[in-house]
Amino acid sequence: MTLTAKWRQWLPHLGIALVVAYCLAPFYWMLVSSLRSTNDVFSTSLLPSPVSFANYRSVFGPAQGFTRALLNSLTVAGVTTALSLVLATFTAYAMARLEFRFKRLILTLIIATSMFPVVSIVVPLLKLFTDIGWINTYQAMIVPSMSFTLPLAVWNLTTFFRQMPDELEQAAMVDGCTRGQAFRKVIVPLAAPGIFTTAIITFIAAWNEFLIALSMTNKPGMQTATVAISKFSGATTYQTPFGSQMAAGVVVTIPLVVMVLLFQRRIVAGLTAGAAK
Amino acid sequence: MADTAIPPGTTAHRPGTAAARRPGRPPASASPRRRPRATAGAGRLAALLVSPTLLVLTIVVLYPTLMALDESLYGVKGLDPKTGFISDTEPFVGLKNYTDILTQAGDRFWNAFWNTTCFTVVTVSLETVIGVAMALIMHRAFRGRGLVRASILVPWAIPTAISGLLWKWIFNADGIANVLLGHQVLWTADGFSAKVAVVIADVWKTAPFIGLLVLAGLQVIPREVYEAARLDGASALQQFRRITLPLVKPALLVAVLFRCLDALRMFDLPYILIGAQKGSVETLSMLAQNEASNVRFGPASAYAVLLFLYVFLIALAFVRLLGADIVGDAGGTKKSRSRPAGMLGRRAREVTA
């Protein structure tokens, strides 16, 4: 009896430890590997000894052009997020607040587009962009990225707007606001947390994109960080520079992990908003 | 797709739609939560607010899809020696690209098709099992919830391309995986072990995400249901099978549908972890991208169209056969409506009552 009681008490903790270890162990390995010196990169000790920042120095060295790649990523993901948010805010407001014909059909179609195989739109757009000379431009990466960030943002914001009490804007309209003013002065400020959450989720999706960035660029200077890292070259041919790849991977991932740590509650709420209903 | 609640009088009443089969359900627009406001003004405003999004999606999704359909009817010709790009003189070949895929280039296509299917079935099944287990664990433990939540978001937040590199490092010949196993497996060489490597890496990245969605589903189940079941003498297993599973089924179905469609378009992970043009892991997306990057746009488009059709059929099957409802309570309606009706829905309501 006491034994089973003890088990019952400890089993969930053991389970939680397992879940956390499962999720973090590979990430930990990336972190540790990035901190090893070039000589003991194949070492399998759990801690790097001595701790070396050589990999980080080589990543940001002039040979890799990684700083430029980070800037490219930031530009593409940032502009994609901003554009998606503006359009999605209007659409989500209509979806959550207004009654109109075909509403459900339109929302279904918008959400369905986010599940398109990206390659199906990349192939024809690649040909189009080649013809009009858009290859190696930011817009060639931003425009196709909208195909999955915009539906994501619409869906997130719709669930968020729907949770806000209807009376808010009615009160504003009674006080003499037009619907547009009520939206601008009451809804948007109050929806700021939801818009912020959506921005994070959209940004992460755009930041993690690989296929579009790979297809639309062939100049190293225009590659985003994810593509640039995958193309890092080692000191000798046929040698994959795992040390610097891990270091660059950490650099690309750390901002996202920090965001996740800071806003985990909101991100979870945003991600699961559709599922829990 | 989720045609279970398209408002009547619009496009819904095809015979045999879910709405027609389930006469007990109220029509979608009959029970609006808020005051009905389907006025001309609201309609105009809605059109104004919705049209930019629809316009953008038309440009970035609908137009390319139609272009792909058109392009897939053209062959490869007129390589411009100066630029290496195709000039405008591609010959119209009709359905030749498709017939080639199914005959001449058939081996490569069917190999990619089966790889894609196999990855989808295996990874999504494993992810579902592991994800549900994770959700049950997380649901029980109340301590350290923030830490757990943050850590299960980490695999999701790591870009797939980076996790491909990470697992390539782990599965390296001298990597940690072989050290832990105690003998050498050439994971990232072409072969069966490469498939296993891709499956392991993909499951690691997305099982926690399924766990998260299922956890959200678990948390809306009222606790009294379990108390009642326990009073009636239901065992833990019975509670899981009779209460938990049916009640999280809507959340789980949506999660599995999204994961399936995501797995069907898998590209980054096998491309980086194993490499391009590796037969054992080449997916349809990789095949199409490879053809396009070799400026063979016609065949590439044909592959893309076939993948698109495949994805569409799977999504349709999910919505029709299993009643997955991707829109949730989109009609501005009550919660019970968004659950699939029929046996499960009824049982759920009985349990809650």
Side-chain angles (χ1 to χ4, degrees), chain A residues 31 40 44 50 63 65 71 88 98 101 108 112 117 126 147 164 179 187 208 212 225 246 249 256 259-260 274 276:
Chain A
L31 201 62
D40 50 26
T44 48
L71 275 176
L98 304 172
R101 289 180 67 184
T108 308
L126 180 61
S147 70
M164 291 173 52
R179 189 183 276 280
I187 297 299
N208 293 357
I212 296 171
M246 292 303 111
L256 309 189
M259 272 197 245
V260 159

Short mmCIF file of all heavy atoms in Angstrom, two decimals, chain A residues 31 40 44 50 63 65 71 88 98 101 108 112 117 126 147 164 179 187 208 212 225 246 249 256 259-260 274 276:
data_model
loop_
_atom_site.label_atom_id
_atom_site.label_comp_id
_atom_site.label_asym_id
_atom_site.label_seq_id
_atom_site.Cartn_x
_atom_site.Cartn_y
_atom_site.Cartn_z
N LEU A 31 24.45 22.41 -28.04
CA LEU A 31 25.09 23.46 -27.25
C LEU A 31 26.50 23.01 -26.82
O LEU A 31 27.48 23.75 -27.00
CB LEU A 31 24.22 23.74 -26.01
CG LEU A 31 24.39 25.05 -25.29
CD1 LEU A 31 24.06 26.20 -26.21
CD2 LEU A 31 23.47 25.08 -24.07
N ASP A 40 38.83 18.42 -29.95
CA ASP A 40 38.02 17.37 -29.33
C ASP A 40 36.54 17.50 -29.71
O ASP A 40 35.66 17.29 -28.90
CB ASP A 40 38.21 17.32 -27.81
CG ASP A 40 38.06 18.68 -27.16
OD1 ASP A 40 37.35 19.54 -27.75
OD2 ASP A 40 38.63 18.89 -26.10
N THR A 44 33.01 12.74 -26.46
CA THR A 44 31.63 12.45 -26.07
C THR A 44 31.41 12.70 -24.58
O THR A 44 30.48 12.17 -23.99
CB THR A 44 31.26 11.00 -26.40
OG1 THR A 44 32.29 10.15 -25.94
CG2 THR A 44 31.06 10.81 -27.89
N PRO A 50 38.45 21.79 -22.55
CA PRO A 50 38.09 23.12 -22.04
C PRO A 50 36.99 23.76 -22.90
O PRO A 50 36.83 23.40 -24.06
CB PRO A 50 39.41 23.89 -22.20
CG PRO A 50 40.04 23.26 -23.41
CD PRO A 50 39.66 21.81 -23.36
N ALA A 63 34.81 34.63 -43.58
CA ALA A 63 34.73 33.60 -44.62
C ALA A 63 33.30 33.09 -44.82
O ALA A 63 32.90 32.76 -45.93
CB ALA A 63 35.66 32.44 -44.26
N GLY A 65 30.30 34.62 -44.07
CA GLY A 65 29.24 35.57 -44.42
C GLY A 65 27.97 35.34 -43.61
O GLY A 65 26.86 35.57 -44.08
N LEU A 71 21.09 38.76 -41.07
CA LEU A 71 20.35 39.96 -41.46
C LEU A 71 19.29 39.63 -42.50
O LEU A 71 18.16 40.12 -42.44
CB LEU A 71 21.31 41.02 -42.01
CG LEU A 71 21.98 41.91 -40.96
CD1 LEU A 71 22.96 42.85 -41.63
CD2 LEU A 71 20.91 42.71 -40.20
N ALA A 88 -3.96 40.05 -41.62
CA ALA A 88 -4.70 39.07 -40.83
C ALA A 88 -5.56 39.73 -39.76
O ALA A 88 -6.64 39.23 -39.43
CB ALA A 88 -3.73 38.08 -40.18
N LEU A 98 -18.23 39.82 -37.51
CA LEU A 98 -19.29 40.14 -38.46
C LEU A 98 -19.98 38.88 -38.96
O LEU A 98 -19.37 37.82 -39.02
CB LEU A 98 -18.70 40.91 -39.66
CG LEU A 98 -17.94 42.18 -39.32
CD1 LEU A 98 -17.25 42.73 -40.55
CD2 LEU A 98 -18.88 43.22 -38.73
N ARG A 101 -22.22 36.19 -45.51
CA ARG A 101 -22.39 34.93 -46.24
C ARG A 101 -21.03 34.30 -46.55
O ARG A 101 -20.04 35.00 -46.70
CB ARG A 101 -23.15 35.18 -47.54
CG ARG A 101 -24.61 35.50 -47.31
CD ARG A 101 -25.29 35.75 -48.63
NE ARG A 101 -25.33 34.53 -49.42
CZ ARG A 101 -25.80 34.51 -50.66
NH1 ARG A 101 -26.23 35.60 -51.23
NH2 ARG A 101 -25.83 33.38 -51.33
N THR A 108 -12.52 28.32 -43.87
CA THR A 108 -12.01 26.98 -44.17
C THR A 108 -10.98 27.04 -45.28
O THR A 108 -9.91 26.42 -45.19
CB THR A 108 -13.16 26.05 -44.59
OG1 THR A 108 -14.18 26.11 -43.60
CG2 THR A 108 -12.69 24.63 -44.73
N ALA A 112 -7.15 26.07 -45.00
CA ALA A 112 -6.71 24.96 -45.85
C ALA A 112 -5.45 25.34 -46.63
O ALA A 112 -4.59 24.49 -46.86
CB ALA A 112 -7.83 24.54 -46.79
N PRO A 117 1.17 21.83 -49.90
CA PRO A 117 2.59 21.51 -50.01
C PRO A 117 3.32 22.71 -50.62
O PRO A 117 2.97 23.17 -51.71
CB PRO A 117 2.63 20.31 -50.94
CG PRO A 117 1.29 20.18 -51.53
CD PRO A 117 0.34 21.00 -50.75
N LEU A 126 9.07 29.86 -58.85
CA LEU A 126 10.48 29.90 -59.22
C LEU A 126 10.62 30.25 -60.70
O LEU A 126 11.45 31.07 -61.09
CB LEU A 126 11.12 28.55 -58.93
CG LEU A 126 12.61 28.40 -59.26
CD1 LEU A 126 13.43 29.39 -58.47
CD2 LEU A 126 13.08 26.99 -58.97
N SER A 147 2.22 32.58 -48.03
CA SER A 147 1.25 31.50 -48.26
C SER A 147 1.00 30.68 -47.01
O SER A 147 -0.08 30.13 -46.84
CB SER A 147 1.73 30.59 -49.39
OG SER A 147 2.85 29.85 -48.97
N MET A 164 -12.69 37.81 -27.06
CA MET A 164 -12.89 39.12 -26.45
C MET A 164 -14.37 39.45 -26.38
O MET A 164 -15.10 39.20 -27.32
CB MET A 164 -12.16 40.19 -27.26
CG MET A 164 -10.67 40.05 -27.14
SD MET A 164 -9.79 41.15 -28.24
CE MET A 164 -10.53 42.68 -27.82
N ARG A 179 -17.77 52.10 -36.19
CA ARG A 179 -17.21 50.76 -36.03
C ARG A 179 -15.70 50.77 -36.25
O ARG A 179 -14.94 50.12 -35.54
CB ARG A 179 -17.89 49.80 -37.02
CG ARG A 179 -17.50 48.36 -36.75
CD ARG A 179 -18.12 47.43 -37.76
NE ARG A 179 -19.48 47.05 -37.45
CZ ARG A 179 -19.77 46.09 -36.57
NH1 ARG A 179 -18.82 45.49 -35.92
NH2 ARG A 179 -21.02 45.77 -36.34
N ILE A 187 -10.50 47.86 -29.82
CA ILE A 187 -10.16 46.46 -30.05
C ILE A 187 -8.66 46.25 -30.22
O ILE A 187 -8.07 45.41 -29.55
CB ILE A 187 -10.91 45.93 -31.30
CG1 ILE A 187 -12.41 45.98 -31.06
CG2 ILE A 187 -10.48 44.52 -31.62
CD1 ILE A 187 -12.86 45.14 -29.91
N ASN A 208 12.01 29.90 -39.65
CA ASN A 208 12.41 28.51 -39.82
C ASN A 208 12.29 28.02 -41.26
O ASN A 208 12.64 26.89 -41.55
CB ASN A 208 11.56 27.60 -38.92
CG ASN A 208 11.85 27.84 -37.46
OD1 ASN A 208 12.70 28.64 -37.12
ND2 ASN A 208 11.13 27.16 -36.60
N ILE A 212 11.73 27.56 -49.52
CA ILE A 212 11.59 28.75 -50.37
C ILE A 212 12.93 29.46 -50.47
O ILE A 212 13.39 29.80 -51.57
CB ILE A 212 10.51 29.69 -49.78
CG1 ILE A 212 9.15 29.01 -49.81
CG2 ILE A 212 10.47 31.01 -50.54
CD1 ILE A 212 8.06 29.75 -49.06
N ALA A 225 19.68 32.49 -42.96
CA ALA A 225 20.58 31.78 -42.05
C ALA A 225 20.44 30.26 -42.16
O ALA A 225 21.45 29.55 -42.19
CB ALA A 225 20.32 32.23 -40.61
N MET A 246 27.12 23.60 -35.54
CA MET A 246 26.42 23.58 -34.25
C MET A 246 26.40 24.98 -33.63
O MET A 246 25.38 25.42 -33.09
CB MET A 246 27.10 22.59 -33.29
CG MET A 246 26.98 21.13 -33.67
SD MET A 246 25.28 20.56 -33.86
CE MET A 246 25.20 20.29 -35.60
N GLY A 249 23.96 26.97 -35.48
CA GLY A 249 22.63 26.48 -35.10
C GLY A 249 22.18 27.06 -33.78
O GLY A 249 21.04 27.49 -33.62
N LEU A 256 14.90 32.24 -30.60
CA LEU A 256 13.61 31.55 -30.53
C LEU A 256 13.41 30.90 -29.17
O LEU A 256 12.33 30.98 -28.59
CB LEU A 256 13.50 30.49 -31.63
CG LEU A 256 13.83 30.92 -33.05
CD1 LEU A 256 13.48 29.82 -34.03
CD2 LEU A 256 13.09 32.18 -33.42
N MET A 259 12.57 33.53 -26.67
CA MET A 259 11.16 33.92 -26.82
C MET A 259 10.24 32.88 -26.21
O MET A 259 9.28 33.21 -25.51
CB MET A 259 10.83 34.06 -28.30
CG MET A 259 11.11 35.43 -28.86
SD MET A 259 10.24 35.62 -30.41
CE MET A 259 11.58 35.77 -31.53
N VAL A 260 10.57 31.60 -26.47
CA VAL A 260 9.74 30.52 -25.95
C VAL A 260 9.75 30.54 -24.42
O VAL A 260 8.72 30.38 -23.78
CB VAL A 260 10.25 29.17 -26.50
CG1 VAL A 260 9.80 28.02 -25.64
CG2 VAL A 260 9.78 28.98 -27.93
N GLY A 274 -6.91 26.57 -31.31
CA GLY A 274 -7.84 25.88 -32.18
C GLY A 274 -8.13 24.47 -31.72
O GLY A 274 -9.21 23.94 -31.93
N ALA A 276 -8.22 23.03 -28.65
CA ALA A 276 -8.93 22.71 -27.43
C ALA A 276 -10.44 22.85 -27.57
O ALA A 276 -11.20 22.40 -26.73
CB ALA A 276 -8.45 23.62 -26.30
#
